[in-house]
Amino acid sequence: MSFSLLVVLILLLSSLAYWLGRNRAIALAQRPRATKLHSRPGYYGILAGLWCGLPALLAVTVWHLAAEPLLTRMAMDGIAAAKGGVSPDQLDLLINELRNLVSGNLVARQVDPLIQAAAEQYLGLRRLGDLVFAVVALATALAGGYLFLSRIRPVLRARNQVERIIKLILTLCAFLAVFITIGIVLSVLFESIRFFQQVSPADFLFGLKWSPQMAIRADQTGSSGSFGAIPVLVGTFLISGIAMAIAVPLGLMSAIYLSEYADLRFRAVVKPLLEILAGVPTVVYGFFAALVVAPALRNLGSLAGLPVASESALAAGLVMGIMIIPFVSSLSDDVINAVPQSLRDGSYALGATKSETIKLVILPAALPGIVGSILLAVSRAIGETMIVVMAAGLAANLTFNPLKAATTVTVQIVTLLIGDQEFDSPKTLAAFALGLLLFIVTLALNVVALYVVRKYREEYE
């Protein structure tokens, strides 16, 4: 039985338990001289559904996570015993071959008979394990639902138990989010440490040339590689700065107009149209930048006597700014609308004009939300890849001229990790060092933004 089908069956059983629990609570409340229910009938149904579904889903999740490594270990033990032992490197190759064969990426006639036999053993054990755990999960769901339905009493504090379970689930989700973030940071950090063991941190942080191509032999050109991150950082800030110079003024001014000046009919039409821009795929913006904006800038530059590259930072920044406008506009509009109307009325009562009210009352009150929207836009600009690849190119040029080609950190990360790569050379490990550098830069931007918000925000009671 497939994992998705089993989950659907468990959810159906939980829904049935909810319906039975709710009806049983209603029936108990309708008995002559019955004790008043402690909670509403729906809580008894929810608790019945939780008792039915949670243990079964937990069992299915544990098996789904543990099946692959457990079965792989059992299959590899058989191969190691048949071969009389294997080295760690050989074991990794055998595991990859086994996984490819099990997933159908290899033809069985092209592999070692021992691997073929291990794959057949793996698939047989997987089918048996899926069947056993499906039976166990369904039996657990039925037992949990039946046990709770038999315990339903009017004095049962169903609402309290439901709230405790939901609070526990929310707490686990919060801890999971934190642990995932810590895991991402640590994984990038450990791989970056491996990179800095081969390349000097000073060369990486202060080097002025980025050419991470490593040759196979020492006598080939480029065998030493250059890993100076300054050109990549400069390109990132240059393109992101152009994008923010477009997105922040247009987005913020459109938000002020829609929230303070536009009538409801105009707002109902224009706001959805603005937000459509956020749903356009970035590859479409990339095509627009490469086929329309870049040639137009080149033609304008030739008319003005300026040398404009076919792929320029200006073209990528302009289109990226258009793409980011809805992020600033929509979030800022929501924040401005959340400012209490009493503040506006008080400002008008003191004789302030609408523009003075916006500048001196509304914008200071909405400053934290506006800064948050700008930070989201900055993160979106720094993390954009497709537009830069199609409109700005891959050349890591150390230039502050927006009319020349440039590249960004994210584009270089993608370029370094294209294809089948082994994470044992400076070329591939440089991607993790760039990721760590980008993380530190965005963290510094967040700290500066928090300082600005705390210093200039206006608090109202």
Side-chain angles (χ1 to χ4, degrees):
M1 183 180 295
S2 65
F3 177 76
S4 58
L5 178 59
L6 184 57
V7 171
V8 170
L9 289 177
I10 293 173
L11 293 178
L12 290 176
L13 289 176
S14 300
S15 301
L16 178 61
Y18 167 81
W19 182 75
L20 293 175
R22 182 176 178 277
N23 288 349
R24 180 170 175 79
I26 293 174
L28 290 175
Q30 292 176 348
R31 288 181 180 178
R33 293 181 294 180
T35 306
K36 184 178 179 181
L37 293 176
H38 173 272
S39 308
R40 297 178 64 85
Y43 284 105
Y44 293 91
I46 294 174
L47 194 56
L50 292 175
W51 272 68
C52 178
L54 286 182
L57 289 175
L58 181 61
V60 171
T61 303
V62 169
W63 166 248
H64 188 70
L65 295 176
E68 197 275 335
L70 177 62
L71 297 179
T72 301
R73 176 68 179 274
M74 295 173 64
M76 287 296 104
D77 288 342
I79 295 176
K83 287 180 173 291
V86 293
S87 65
D89 294 336
Q90 292 176 332
L91 182 62
D92 293 336
L93 293 175
L94 292 174
I95 290 176
N96 291 331
E97 193 171 357
L98 174 66
R99 290 174 178 172
N100 290 329
L101 184 58
V102 168
S103 61
N105 294 330
L106 291 178
V107 181
R109 291 175 295 179
Q110 299 176 350
V111 298
D112 189 339
L114 288 176
I115 299 293
Q116 181 179 347
E120 294 174 354
Q121 178 189 9
Y122 180 100
L123 293 174
L125 293 174
R126 184 61 184 259
R127 287 191 292 267
L128 178 61
D130 289 344
L131 179 61
V132 170
F133 266 85
V135 173
V136 170
L138 294 176
T140 302
L142 292 173
Y146 174 77
L147 288 176
F148 178 77
L149 290 174
S150 63
R151 291 181 53 201
I152 291 181
R153 300 288 187 275
V155 295
L156 179 65
R157 299 177 177 270
R159 178 175 61 84
N160 296 8
Q161 295 188 27
V162 168
E163 291 178 350
R164 280 198 296 268
I165 293 174
I166 292 177
K167 182 180 178 180
L168 177 61
I169 293 174
L170 295 176
T171 304
L172 291 177
C173 291
F175 277 108
L176 182 63
V178 173
F179 289 145
I180 290 174
T181 304
I182 294 175
I184 292 173
V185 174
L186 291 180
S187 63
V188 173
L189 179 61
F190 291 152
E191 297 297 331
S192 300
I193 292 174
R194 292 179 58 193
F195 170 77
F196 289 125
Q197 290 173 349
Q198 304 179 48
V199 177
S200 170
D203 294 340
F204 176 75
L205 295 176
F206 304 106
L208 302 180
K209 183 179 180 182
W210 177 262
S211 179
Q213 302 301 323
M214 302 294 292
I216 298 176
R217 300 192 312 272
D219 59 342
Q220 289 181 315
T221 303
S223 59
S224 59
S226 299
F227 296 93
I230 294 296
V232 183
L233 277 180
V234 170
T236 300
F237 290 134
L238 177 62
I239 296 176
S240 301
I242 295 172
M244 298 311 298
I246 300 296
V248 172
L250 292 179
L252 187 56
M253 290 179 185
S254 62
I256 292 172
Y257 177 77
L258 289 176
S259 59
E260 298 297 325
Y261 292 99
D263 56 26
L264 296 179
R265 196 181 316 174
F266 182 83
R267 174 186 169 84
V269 174
V270 173
K271 187 173 171 61
L273 291 177
L274 258 180
E275 294 180 347
I276 287 176
L277 293 175
V280 177
T282 56
V283 67
V284 176
Y285 284 108
F287 277 119
F288 176 69
L291 300 178
V292 178
V293 177
L297 289 177
R298 190 169 60 251
N299 293 333
L300 290 175
S302 62
L303 292 177
L306 297 175
V308 181
S310 299
E311 295 177 329
S312 63
L314 182 59
L318 288 175
V319 177
M320 194 186 299
I322 296 173
M323 181 192 67
I324 295 173
I325 286 175
F327 291 91
V328 179
S329 175
S330 181
L331 292 176
S332 299
D333 177 68
D334 294 337
V335 171
I336 292 173
N337 281 323
V339 175
Q341 183 62 34
S342 58
L343 296 181
R344 297 176 174 85
D345 296 338
S347 177
Y348 296 147
L350 292 174
T353 63
K354 180 179 282 290
S355 61
E356 292 173 338
T357 300
I358 293 172
K359 290 186 294 183
L360 301 178
V361 177
I362 296 176
L363 291 182
L367 180 63
I370 293 174
V371 172
S373 67
I374 295 174
L375 275 179
L376 179 61
V378 171
S379 301
R380 188 73 176 86
I382 292 177
E384 178 53 39
T385 304
M386 186 59 67
I387 295 176
V388 181
V389 170
M390 301 179 70
L394 303 177
N397 299 320
L398 180 55
T399 177
F400 293 93
N401 186 356
L403 303 181
K404 293 184 178 181
T407 189
T408 62
V409 171
T410 53
V411 171
Q412 290 301 311
I413 291 174
V414 172
T415 305
L416 294 172
L417 300 182
I418 288 177
D420 296 331
Q421 302 285 349
E422 292 293 335
F423 297 105
D424 55 359
S425 67
K427 177 182 177 181
T428 51
L429 294 175
F432 296 95
L434 288 175
L436 180 63
L437 181 62
L438 190 62
F439 171 78
I440 294 174
V441 169
T442 54
L443 180 62
L445 290 176
N446 288 331
V447 171
V448 172
L450 288 176
Y451 171 77
V452 172
V453 168
R454 290 177 180 175
K455 183 175 182 180
Y456 295 105
R457 72 181 299 177
E458 298 286 346
E459 295 184 0
Y460 302 93
E461 297 182 356

